Each structure stands twice: as structure tokens, then as C-alpha cells.
Amino acid sequence: MAKKAAATGQALDLNLVRNIGIIAHIDAGKTTTTERVLYFAGRIHRMGEVHDGAATTDYMDQEKERGITITAAAVTAFWHDCQINIIDTPGHVDFTAEVQRSLRVLDGGVVVFDGVAGVEPQSETVWRQANEYSVPRICFINKMDRVGADFGRCVGMIANRLKANPVPIQMPYSDGADFSGIIDLFDMELITYGDTMGTAIEHVAIPAEVLERAEAARATMIEQIVEHDEALTEKYLNEEPISNEELMRALRASTIAGLTHPVLCGSSLRNKGVQLLLDAVVHYLPSPLDIPPIQGANPKTGAIEERHSTDDEPLSALVFKIVTDPFVGRLAFFRVYSGVIHAGSTVLNTSKDRRERIGRVVRMFADRREDVEEVHAGDIAATLGLKDTFTGETLAEQSRPIVLEEIHFPEPVISVAIEPKTKADQDKMGVALAKLAEEDPTFVVRVNDQTGQTLISGMGELHLEVLVERLFREFSVDARVGKPRVSYRETILQRARGEGRFVRQTGGSGQYGHAVIEVEPLPEDAPDDVVIENKVVGGAIPKEFIKSIESGIREAAQSGVIAGFPVVRFKAAILDGSYHEVDSSDLAFKIAGSMALKDAVQKAHGILMEPYMRVDVVVPEEYAGDVLGDLAGRRANINGVEARGDGLSSIEVEAPLGEMFGYATNLRNISQGRGSFTMEFEKYVPVPASLMEAIIRGGH
């Protein structure tokens, strides 16, 4: 039933829809798990392997070559008459924006953990992102067949490191190389697999040697579940029998509320535990009807309104991803929160107050498309034809507009200069960079005013490497690429006034603009980097020129004052100025605004800030001392060192990005190739005075 409705675009029973994401640290087995889900759900007939470059959701050439997920891929599967919309997300920290925008539109998540490594640095990041969007989750401890796998240790790490409430509803029948089955703590039976494909499933009695341990695990499970249900707590205390149905119902409610996180186990590569995981997705993760109504602002009145997940309410949809498809053009992925989107209809982009025509509507299966006529409330799909709509913007009915909360992305921290080799390449490069920036909100392109150099910025070296490769391969651009460099920021430490006066006389009409502004620092947690207020009184500057001054201030801030890096965390008040009846123009006041900001920043003791990264290093214990010494030499602040219990030490530090270039080679040499690390942006902090001059001169 669900399958037929999805194929035709008919309205679904929303109780039978699950919008979920598969999220995890890199190499935990997300894509392999997704591949098995698609196979057992009958969506593919042959399982592709990540290591062979044949996984369905890793369809980009670079994903196949590198064996990692780079872009979030959307697929749809069906299980127990439920339609499950799945987004397989990247695990590498450089592509964290893909995880972020996926979680924004999903109702639930499956968090995959490596049975040996447990909670890894990026596990913490994706868990934190899921917390931000209040996404209910279940946990799947994968790779239980690996030597060193330890289910109990992983559960403990989920509780302690993620501050979560894991509720194991299964336990492995032996860990590691002896892993041969899964004990179901509800039905109290052992599930084994009679073939390598995971289809010959057998349900047998729990062997006597582990029965006592299983009974203790079930008793703990029951205690954890009833804790969040008053009626069951009373039954439990009165020693009344509690059925499995009651327990599952209570666990579903507490999981949706974010109070518990059911934990399952298996080995996706060995096809064990995946069907049980699908059962858990259906049983414990929410449908669109289980989540609170979406809220947004009425653009006309500013009032907050709610939209429920039903076809009967006015349309509200959020665009969460733009992809440039070489065959069909610009694809916009969206989640419908209320109402229905029809192919060929006209909608309002309320973020920009512009009408857009919906072209073809397609359901995505990785890089394949299935045409549908309409998409209903609670569903996820994509459309062709939107010209002016970008990531994070809202589509709504023209008569009933609403603006949903935008998606906020982290600032890029690393840049490279890129230079086309020919004039033809220059033209192609401009178009290509614009398309890549449309797709990826963490990819920023800007031209240095002083040098005319094009700088591209992203979240890390791998991020930029992948984007440059796409530039070469997909868009056939031939260009020279510089070495990576840090994206510093400029800011101010105190209040100061600045004045800009632009006067030019050239034979005929001249140019005249004059502005006086005052700048002051903004706090770190301010929602905007730049705030501009108009405090001009008495008509010293005509109102029509105020916008020009604002534009000049913003442009000067973007170009930088001290060393050519963007100026952030400041408020500018336009206080005074003067104008000429004939010679004043928008351009003159724009230049005056730019001059005023530069004057003010110089007087306000402008400083540089550098990105500090959270760096998590995992090395054998015998190398931990040498690694710590090396990090200390890179101006790193040591946050903690933890012995993991498997002969490895986990080291967490904060370090300036400028000191971490080439660290992979260093770590390899120190640890004899046995160390690994992840790095993600943490915060911007002031550059030490001793280094600032060198950076300004370009010597760092």
C-alpha cells in the first residue's frame, strides 16, 4: 500500500511514514548499513560494497574512489508496509553541513557505532547536532564480529560520553570473532543466521550458559523503560505482569520524547541484525504525526504560526539541499511539513517574497529519479525548475505565507587561491564556482579587492580538495590552485568613531558623500556578525542615502581593514554626515561608508582572530607522550587524555588551525603510522600579538 502510494504520489497514511537519517563517525559502517537496509527491503537486488566503490548511496566518482560518503544521498525503502525515507550522511567532519541540513528535516535518526572504537569524536559531533534539532534516535552498534568488539563498553561510552540514556533491547551472543547471533531481550530468544546472506534466520532458545546474563539484561531493560511511564511504574512496583506490547509502547513514547535511546547490535557487512534494525525503525522512531507541529513566522505580521502535518493545512515546505545534476539541471530537495506540492504549480518563496514555478517533481533514489505528480505532508522529494530558491528557504502558499526557521551553518575556516589558466577557463570557472556555492552553504567564494585574486573557502583541506576536483572533472576547468591558508577574521576591542568623506570634482557634475559612524564590539554569542543602525537626526543625510552607507560598511567589512580578512562582531551606528544638493549620489555615500568603517576600525584597535580547532587524536598508549609534546609545540590547549581500554589513548585538544597544516604526516611519523585524528572548528580567538604582525605581512 505504502509502496503504491509513493510511486504514484498518492496521499500516505502518515502513521506509516518514517523520515530518518543514518549518522555516525567516519568508517563506522553507515553506508554499508544503508546498503543492507535497501537490499533486505527489496529496493536493490545486489549488495554493493563501499570498498569496491559499488554502494548505492555513494554514487559520486570521488566517493567511489575514496571509499567515503561526501554528499548526503536520499533513498526510499519499504518495510512492514511503512515507507522509510532514508538519508545516508557523510561521517567526515569536513562535510558536517550535509549532516546538519539533513537532521533539520528528519524526524528520527539511526546512529551507527563501531563495536571496537565505540563513541568516536565525530559520533559526539553528530549526536550534538541531533540534540540541537531534538531528533529522536536509536543506536546500532555495528561490527560486532571484529576482534576487540565490546558491546557493554560501547553502551557505557554512549551513556558517559554522550550523556545519553541507552536502553539495550538486544545483546550479542558472544563478541568479536565468535559473534554468531543476537539475543532479543523482549522475546527472550536467540536469533541466529544459517547463511552468509542473512536471510536464513532461526529463532532458538537462549543457551543455558548465557541465560542468566540475558535475564539480568532484560530486568535492567524493563527498569529503564518503566521509569518513564507512571502506569507501568505502578505495575512494576506492585509486581504485576507487564506485557511486551506495553513495554514497546512505552519505549516508543520515551524514545520520541528523547528520554531513551534503544540500542541494537549486529554486523552489517556480515548481514546480521539489519532486519531487526528495520523493525526497530518502524517500532520506535516517530512518524510525521508524532513530532510537534512546525512553527514559523508570518512575513506580513511577524506573528508565530503553527502548521500541522496534514494535507488539509496550507502548504509549508523547507528546501534543504540544492544539487546541480549534469543531466537534468538544478535539483532542489525539500521536506513538506503541511499541505501538498503539485508538479506544475506556482508557490511563493517566502524567504525572498518571490513566486516560483514547480517543474517536475521527483522522488530520489540516490542518483536515480522517479517522477511523481504530487508530494504530500510529511514526505521528502525534489523538484526541477526553481530558479531563485536556495538552501534553508521556505516554500508556501501565496495566500497563506509562512517563513520557517532557516538552517545555520558554520563559517569556513580554510582558504586557497585559485587562478584559471586561460580566458575560457575564467568564464567557465565563474559559472562553476557559483553552482558549487549554491550546492554547499559552507563553500564561500570571494575576490580580494586589492589583488583581484579569487579565494575559495571551506571547512577543511579535504573539503576544498573535493570541491577543486569537482571543478576540474565536472566543469572541465583548468586552474592553478595555491596552498591552503587560514581564514582569519578581524574584529575590534573598543568603541570608536570614524569618518568618511568622498569628494571628487571632474569637469561636470562631481561626487560628494560624507558619513560619520561609531563602532563597538558585539558579544561572541551575538546572532549576527555585523549590526548596522541608523541614528541620523535632523535630515543631515537624506534617507535614500542611508542604504548606500550601509552597503559601503558591509562591503568594507567583507574586504577587511587590517589584513584583508572579513571584519566581524561589531555594531556600527550611522550618526551624522552631510550631502550636496547636486553632487551627492548612492556611489559617493557607499564609498564614504566604506571609508568611515576603515577609519573607525583603525581607531578601535582592530585585531586578528584565528580559528581554533577541536582535535581528537587516537594513538597507541606508548606514543601518547610524544604526541602530547608535539601538540604543545603547536600552541595546543590539552583538554583531556583518556585510556580507552584497548591499548589506545584518546587525546582531546584545542589548537590553532594555522599550526595544524601537515599534521597528518607528523602524526604518522610519531606513531609509526598507527595514529589517527579528526579536526573540526571550535571557535575564533584573538591571535597573539607576537604573531599578528607576521600574519599581516603575509609571513605566517
Side-chain angles (χ1 to χ4, degrees):
M1 183 174 73
K3 191 179 291 190
K4 185 182 176 185
T8 58
Q10 294 171 10
L12 287 165
D13 178 354
L14 286 183
N15 285 303
L16 300 177
V17 175
R18 302 288 183 272
N19 295 313
I20 68 164
I22 313 280
I23 55 178
H25 184 93
I26 193 169
D27 287 336
K30 291 181 313 311
T31 301
T32 301
T33 301
T34 306
E35 194 75 4
R36 271 47 183 181
V37 163
L38 296 176
Y39 176 77
F40 289 119
R43 290 291 281 159
I44 57 175
H45 302 293
R46 180 181 172 274
M47 289 180 278
E49 306 296 356
V50 174
H51 53 265
D52 294 334
T56 304
T57 52
D58 283 353
Y59 57 84
M60 289 173 63
D61 287 343
Q62 289 162 289
E63 292 177 315
K64 295 174 182 178
E65 292 163 11
R66 296 172 183 270
I68 61 170
T69 301
I70 291 169
T71 183
V75 290
T76 300
F78 302 89
W79 189 254
H80 295 333
D81 220 24
C82 269
Q83 176 181 317
I84 306 176
N85 298 320
I86 305 167
I87 298 182
D88 175 31
T89 63
H92 196 286
V93 70
D94 280 14
F95 308 105
T96 190
E98 289 286 324
V99 182
Q100 201 164 330
R101 61 180 168 190
S102 301
L103 287 170
R104 170 68 175 81
V105 297
L106 293 172
D107 301 328
V110 175
V111 189
V112 182
F113 298 91
D114 182 317
V116 178
V119 174
E120 298 176 270
Q122 188 64 2
S123 313
E124 295 183 53
T125 302
V126 297
W127 194 271
R128 187 175 66 246
Q129 289 172 320
N131 282 342
E132 285 172 15
Y133 292 114
S134 303
V135 176
R137 281 142 279 172
I138 59 179
C139 303
F140 181 62
I141 298 177
N142 190 27
K143 304 188 180 185
M144 290 306 304
D145 58 320
R146 284 183 61 203
V147 175
D150 187 327
F151 182 76
R153 179 174 159 273
C154 289
V155 173
M157 289 176 82
I158 293 169
N160 299 325
R161 293 188 70 167
L162 302 178
K163 306 293 185 284
N165 185 15
V167 180
I169 61 174
Q170 300 174 349
M171 58 180 279
Y173 178 50
S174 69
D175 294 342
D178 297 328
F179 176 68
S180 56
I182 297 162
I183 294 171
D184 181 341
L185 297 177
F186 279 110
D187 293 331
M188 289 300 285
E189 60 184 13
L190 171 64
I191 297 161
T192 61
Y193 298 84
D195 64 354
T196 57
M197 295 303 293
T199 51
I201 298 174
E202 297 173 11
H203 299 254
V204 298
I206 299 171
E209 67 268 20
V210 293
L211 184 59
E212 190 176 330
R213 196 154 53 89
E215 286 173 340
R218 175 177 164 86
T220 302
M221 178 189 78
I222 292 171
E223 284 174 14
Q224 286 181 283
I225 294 173
V226 303
E227 186 183 338
H228 303 286
D229 186 295
E230 285 185 19
L232 291 190
T233 299
E234 195 172 330
K235 270 191 166 185
Y236 180 78
L237 293 173
N238 293 330
E239 297 184 358
E240 297 174 30
I242 302 172
S243 69
N244 278 350
E245 287 73 22
E246 289 175 300
L247 288 170
M248 290 171 75
R249 197 160 46 245
L251 181 58
R252 173 179 176 80
S254 62
T255 301
I256 292 170
L259 302 171
T260 57
H261 304 99
V263 183
L264 299 89
C265 62
S267 168
S268 296
L269 189 62
R270 305 293 173 220
N271 308 312
K272 294 174 180 175
V274 179
Q275 296 101 320
L276 301 175
L277 176 63
L278 277 164
D279 290 344
V281 166
V282 172
H283 288 153
Y284 306 117
L285 289 181
S287 76
L289 297 176
D290 295 314
I291 60 169
I294 194 75
Q295 290 188 331
N298 185 314
K300 295 176 180 175
T301 65
I304 300 300
E305 298 180 1
E306 284 189 348
R307 298 281 168 88
H308 294 81
S309 197
T310 167
D311 291 357
D312 300 329
E313 293 218 356
L315 172 67
S316 64
L318 187 77
V319 174
F320 65 95
K321 183 178 171 79
I322 300 292
V323 173
T324 302
D325 188 295
F327 301 105
V328 295
R330 192 173 186 270
L331 271 168
F333 288 71
F334 59 87
R335 157 77 188 260
V336 180
Y337 285 97
S338 61
V340 182
I341 277 187
H342 301 271
S345 62
T346 299
V347 299
L348 182 68
N349 176 334
T350 51
S351 307
K352 290 178 175 166
D353 194 24
R354 286 186 189 169
R355 292 197 303 171
E356 288 269 39
R357 189 175 183 279
I358 302 289
R360 286 172 62 194
V361 177
V362 293
R363 190 174 302 285
M364 297 301 296
F365 188 73
D367 59 340
R368 301 202 300 276
R369 296 164 298 279
E370 301 167 358
D371 280 271
V372 294
E373 286 303 308
E374 55 193 31
V375 182
H376 296 260
D379 210 348
I380 292 172
T383 181
L384 293 149
L386 300 185
K387 291 183 171 64
D388 297 314
T389 299
F390 295 87
T391 298
E393 295 179 349
T394 304
L395 303 176
E397 269 181 38
Q398 299 177 64
S399 59
R400 294 288 302 278
I402 190 171
V403 181
L404 305 178
E405 186 185 348
E406 291 188 0
I407 310 170
H408 298 286
F409 297 101
E411 286 283 312
V413 294
I414 188 169
S415 305
V416 296
I418 185 162
E419 184 185 334
K421 288 186 177 177
T422 67
K423 178 69 170 69
D425 285 315
Q426 186 167 359
D427 296 339
K428 284 195 290 186
M429 189 175 87
V431 172
L433 290 177
K435 286 182 176 178
L436 291 173
E438 274 188 18
E439 289 188 16
D440 187 345
T442 59
F443 176 61
V444 175
V445 183
R446 69 187 180 95
V447 178
N448 188 300
D449 284 347
Q450 278 79 41
T451 63
Q453 195 176 43
T454 300
L455 292 172
I456 56 175
S457 305
M459 299 307 298
E461 290 183 76
L462 179 62
H463 185 206
L464 286 182
E465 193 182 306
V466 165
L467 286 163
V468 167
E469 273 188 34
R470 288 189 64 191
L471 200 65
F472 295 164
R473 290 185 183 190
E474 293 175 31
F475 299 96
S476 304
V477 173
D478 201 1
R480 299 180 192 89
V481 181
K483 288 183 178 177
R485 59 190 191 190
V486 178
S487 290
Y488 294 95
R489 294 287 184 270
E490 301 177 14
T491 194
I492 56 175
L493 294 178
Q494 61 188 51
R495 189 189 298 256
R497 285 199 176 196
E499 185 173 3
R501 189 187 298 269
F502 181 68
V503 184
R504 182 168 291 169
Q505 201 65 44
T506 55
S509 63
Q511 294 281 3
Y512 184 92
H514 173 217
V516 179
I517 69 170
E518 185 176 68
V519 297
E520 62 180 284
L522 283 173
E524 280 187 39
D525 57 353
D528 298 304
D529 272 338
V530 179
V531 176
I532 303 175
E533 296 178 345
N534 176 23
K535 291 188 175 180
V536 176
V537 293
I541 303 172
K543 283 186 179 177
E544 63 263 29
F545 294 133
I546 297 295
K547 284 281 185 195
S548 302
I549 297 172
E550 285 190 17
S551 178
I553 292 171
R554 291 189 184 278
E555 279 193 17
Q558 193 56 40
S559 302
V561 175
I562 306 167
F565 299 104
V567 187
V568 297
R569 291 187 200 163
F570 74 93
K571 181 165 78 173
I574 306 168
L575 302 179
D576 201 3
S578 59
Y579 73 104
H580 190 281
E581 290 282 359
V582 177
D583 292 347
S584 285
S585 66
D586 286 327
L587 177 63
F589 274 102
K590 185 176 177 180
I591 295 171
S594 172
M595 293 166 69
L597 181 75
K598 289 175 181 177
D599 184 41
V601 171
Q602 297 285 2
K603 294 173 180 173
H605 291 285
I607 62 164
L608 288 182
M609 295 193 299
E610 60 182 339
Y612 258 62
M613 314 298 284
R614 171 181 158 164
V615 185
D616 290 276
V617 185
V618 176
V619 289
E621 287 172 359
E622 61 262 38
Y623 302 114
D626 292 338
V627 169
L628 285 166
D630 178 66
L631 288 167
R634 297 170 183 268
R635 297 194 284 128
N637 303 317
I638 312 297
N639 291 342
V641 182
E642 182 188 347
R644 296 198 338 179
D646 52 359
L648 297 174
S649 287
S650 179
I651 301 168
E652 184 189 316
V653 304
E654 287 175 5
L657 176 60
E659 302 285 354
M660 296 304 293
F661 290 136
Y663 184 64
T665 304
N666 247 53
L667 180 62
R668 208 160 36 243
N669 292 338
I670 294 172
S671 66
Q672 296 187 9
R674 296 167 65 192
S676 63
F677 78 103
T678 60
M679 187 165 67
E680 69 174 309
F681 171 72
E682 186 73 20
K683 59 189 175 185
Y684 271 96
V685 302
V687 172
S690 58
L691 291 176
M692 197 164 111
E693 280 303 315
I695 295 168
I696 291 171
R697 290 195 309 269
H700 193 72

